[in-house]
Amino acid sequence: MRIAAIAFTDCGMALGRRLQEQAENMTLERCEKGGLAAWTARAFSDSDALVFIGAAGIAVRAVAPHVETKTCDPAVVVLDELGTFAIPILSGHLGGANALAAALARQVGAIPVITTATDVHGLFAVDDWARTQGLAVANPQRIKWISARLLAGETIRFKSLYPIDGALPAQLEPDEEGYDMLVSHRSRGRVEALRLVPRIVTAGIGCRRGAAAETIEAAFAAALGKAGCHPLAVGAVATIGLKAEEPGLLAFCRSRSLPLVTYTAEELSAMPGSFTGSAFVKKTTGVDNVCERAAVRHSGGRLLTRKEAGNGVTVALAIREAKLTWGERK
């Protein structure tokens, strides 16, 4: 987690340095006159979490112009400069602000002030669980509906395509047909259900020089459709190192916020298994197949779809095993 912290006084800076001693990837700045707006704008877009060491009102006013949705807003936590209280004020569950506040409080002996309803009642918080398991939320508007039912004492029925280790939380019950919550990489499911998608699929992509991002997007969408795979299940794009700077491929990855992972021809050639070979591809790249080998190499799993070729683009999907637990994933 990339944490950006800001303090306003000498006392606040001293507390910030104490936090930096134990918190990984934390930057700390002192707020100069007139600099808060610029710092907040930069930190809001570049960081996973913002920590304000000072008054909560200052933090609220600073972040208010940047707040969008719970699925993309970073965590925001406020600590008073004496380290008495740690207060999450934005993205408590999906963004991890509650967990961060608790962690920072332990470091300095503060009291975490948690106000989200499911937490204060000791109930299962589905968005917090999704975050700890690395699950994308396809329809976040259903989170409120799930939480409201839990708070009303009702039972939530769920379906998961994968085993989930650990003790089943109270008020949750498996149901293959009439489920309220679905954990699946597939695109199909009950419209009414909250859809949680594990990011366990890698898209292996090969393309000719100069292939447009739109062409790659179309090939990607076709591969997903053939596999019946939800777009949010794709966690990375893999290819050969020769394509590391391909403009269209880079633009496609940026548009979907996907990391691009590359391998050498030697690394791809060394992959065991049966792949769709091409003499032309081998002559051009040094390996008989790029997309299938790259997908499997990154995922560590198995092919979900073999090479689909069209308009100078090849796409293959590979999937790994989902490892889920009702507790916090280590």
Side-chain angles (χ1 to χ4, degrees), residues 12 134 163 198 229 283 295-296 304 328:
C229 180
K283 180 180 179 180
V296 174
L304 189 59
E328 184 171 350

Side-chain angles (χ1 to χ4, degrees), residues 33-304:
K33 186 176 181 180
L36 181 59
W39 178 89
T40 304
R42 183 175 68 252
F44 212 88
S45 62
D46 297 342
S47 307
D48 300 311
L50 282 67
V51 176
F52 290 81
I53 305 175
I58 294 175
V60 170
R61 292 179 185 277
V63 303
H66 307 284
V67 175
E68 294 183 15
T69 67
K70 64 167 60 187
T71 56
C72 63
D73 290 336
V76 179
V77 175
V78 176
L79 281 90
D80 65 279
E81 63 179 38
L82 292 181
T84 305
F85 301 104
I87 313 166
I89 63 171
L90 186 67
S91 293
H93 287 152
L94 279 181
N98 285 3
L100 178 60
L104 297 178
R106 287 193 296 270
Q107 292 177 27
V108 297
I111 300 171
V113 182
I114 310 300
T115 58
T116 40
T118 49
D119 294 278
V120 299
H121 286 278
L123 301 176
F124 175 71
V126 64
D127 41 357
D128 195 42
W129 181 70
R131 177 186 59 81
T132 64
Q133 303 304 303
L135 302 173
V137 184
N139 50 349
Q141 70 276 9
R142 299 300 287 173
I143 292 174
K144 184 177 180 180
W145 178 74
I146 293 285
S147 297
R149 291 187 59 185
L150 289 169
L151 288 165
E154 298 179 29
T155 296
I156 296 298
R157 299 164 298 168
F158 75 93
K159 176 181 179 179
S160 175
L161 298 192
Y162 331 95
I164 306 177
D165 295 334
L168 185 66
Q171 295 178 240
L172 264 63
E173 177 181 287
D175 187 330
E176 290 291 312
E177 300 296 332
Y179 51 86
D180 307 303
M181 181 175 82
L182 174 65
V183 184
S184 171
H185 69 276
R186 295 174 181 165
S187 54
R188 292 183 178 179
R190 293 186 71 233
V191 176
E192 302 85 358
L194 172 66
R195 297 176 60 86
L196 304 179
V197 186
R199 311 202 76 177
I200 55 176
V201 174
T202 297
I205 298 180
C207 63
R208 68 187 175 196
R209 183 180 300 176
E214 295 78 9
T215 304
I216 297 173
E217 174 66 40
F220 175 74
L224 290 177
K226 181 176 181 180
C229 180
H230 198 288
L232 289 176
V234 179
V237 172
T239 191
I240 194 167
L242 293 173
K243 299 299 178 181
E245 302 299 326
E246 188 65 43
L249 184 57
L250 291 173
F252 164 76
C253 291
R254 283 195 301 270
S255 71
R256 287 191 168 271
S257 300
L258 292 172
L260 179 64
V261 183
T262 63
Y263 300 101
T264 65
E266 292 74 19
E267 288 173 321
L268 295 180
S269 296
M271 286 295 300
S274 174
F275 302 101
T276 309
S278 165
F280 174 78
V281 172
K282 186 168 185 178
K283 180 180 179 180
T284 305
T285 67
V287 61
D288 65 351
N289 181 291
V290 169
C291 62
E292 291 179 11
R293 290 179 177 273
V296 174
R297 175 69 166 78
H298 180 266
S299 73
R302 60 176 176 83
L303 281 173
L304 189 59

